[in-house]
Amino acid sequence: MSTDSTEDSTEDSAEEVEIDLGALNDEDLVAQMHDDLYDGLGDEIVEGTNLLLGRGWAPDKTLNEALVAGMRIVGIDFRDGILFVPEVLLAANAMKAGMGILRPLLAETGAESVGKVVIGTVKGDIHDIGKNLVAMMLEGAGFEVIDIGINSDVDKYLEALEEHQPDILGMSALLTTTMPYMKVVIDTLKDKGLRDDYIVLVGGAPLNEEFGTAVGADGYCRDAAVAAEMARTMIDQRRAARAS
């Protein structure tokens, strides 16, 4: 009886031990921040971000090595079915807490983002959980994301594209009745001679790769992790093609 209670108290005390982030060297702190992102611990991410900046780390280095690298682990485990939507949302919110510190600093230094994305749920559809998750994962991958919300008609997309001049246009739909509106947007871009200016990615539960091809999208993203990977790959490919 006494042995069991001793073991229980030992386990409880072990769980209560808090890691002193300030006592960790840079390498261990970054590794711990990856763990904290994975666990969705926003306060710890804020503390770690401030510590790295206080040690002379540049904002872009802090972003890429501590936050983006950590979210890449989250994305891989989400893709592989180890993590699920609620856990990824927690991780993404922790990432946003760190980004709240870094974003103004990055703007001051003129650091370039990986790319810019305009994203929205199409006209007639008010579902946004999937879209929000994609937006968070894209931000976690280093993209600047402009979220135009739900029930977005073609004019709303066009206005956002003109204002923000993104690399990527992302469209989401959860209803089979709203899926065809993606083609309306893409056809309008073609009619206005704008289609080749943007990489167009589509996603949503009822979609598949065949549908993405049929409406003229550049890619179909089956989940948020794939969206972030595909966005980065397509931007790299486009930039390489333009440079050659």
Side-chain angles (χ1 to χ4, degrees), residues 14-208:
E15 290 175 359
E16 291 169 4
V17 171
E18 290 189 7
I19 296 172
D20 181 2
L21 297 180
L24 301 176
N25 63 35
D26 288 3
E27 183 179 352
D28 289 342
L29 176 56
V30 168
Q32 183 60 46
M33 288 177 70
H34 293 172
D35 289 344
D36 290 341
L37 262 180
Y38 198 91
D39 295 332
L41 304 178
D43 290 344
E44 286 78 356
I45 291 301
V46 167
E47 182 182 354
T49 299
N50 282 324
L51 282 169
L52 289 174
L53 292 171
R55 295 176 184 181
W57 278 47
D60 57 341
K61 181 180 180 182
T62 304
L63 171 66
N64 291 321
E65 295 189 21
L67 301 186
V68 172
M71 282 303 291
R72 190 173 294 121
I73 299 167
V74 172
I76 290 169
D77 279 5
F78 177 54
R79 180 197 65 198
D80 293 344
I82 297 169
L83 290 179
F84 299 96
V85 170
E87 297 155 315
V88 175
L89 287 173
L90 284 174
N93 281 326
M95 167 83 184
K96 292 187 83 168
M99 284 299 298
I101 298 167
L102 294 175
R103 188 173 285 114
L105 300 176
L106 290 165
E108 287 175 12
T109 62
E112 197 174 334
S113 66
V114 172
K116 190 184 293 187
V117 182
V118 163
I119 188 171
T121 304
V122 296
K123 181 181 177 181
D125 205 319
I126 60 171
H127 296 90
D128 66 354
I129 292 177
K131 170 187 64 63
N132 293 348
L133 187 56
V134 170
M136 288 178 174
M137 290 297 291
L138 287 168
E139 284 194 335
F143 286 90
E144 179 184 351
V145 179
I146 298 95
D147 186 347
I148 62 173
I150 57 174
N151 194 27
S152 302
D153 62 18
V154 66
D155 289 335
K156 195 172 180 181
Y157 282 111
L158 290 173
E159 288 169 9
L161 293 175
E162 183 177 358
E163 178 181 354
H164 300 287
Q165 295 297 309
D167 303 284
I168 295 175
L169 168 61
M171 291 187 284
S172 171
L174 191 66
L175 304 174
T176 54
T177 51
T178 59
M179 288 165 51
Y181 197 79
M182 293 177 172
K183 189 173 190 302
V184 173
V185 176
I186 293 172
D187 285 348
T188 302
L189 291 176
K190 289 178 181 175
D191 292 342
K192 292 181 174 295
L194 300 172
R195 175 63 186 87
D196 292 339
D197 293 347
Y198 311 103
I199 297 166
V200 178
L201 302 180
V202 297
L207 279 65
N208 56 34

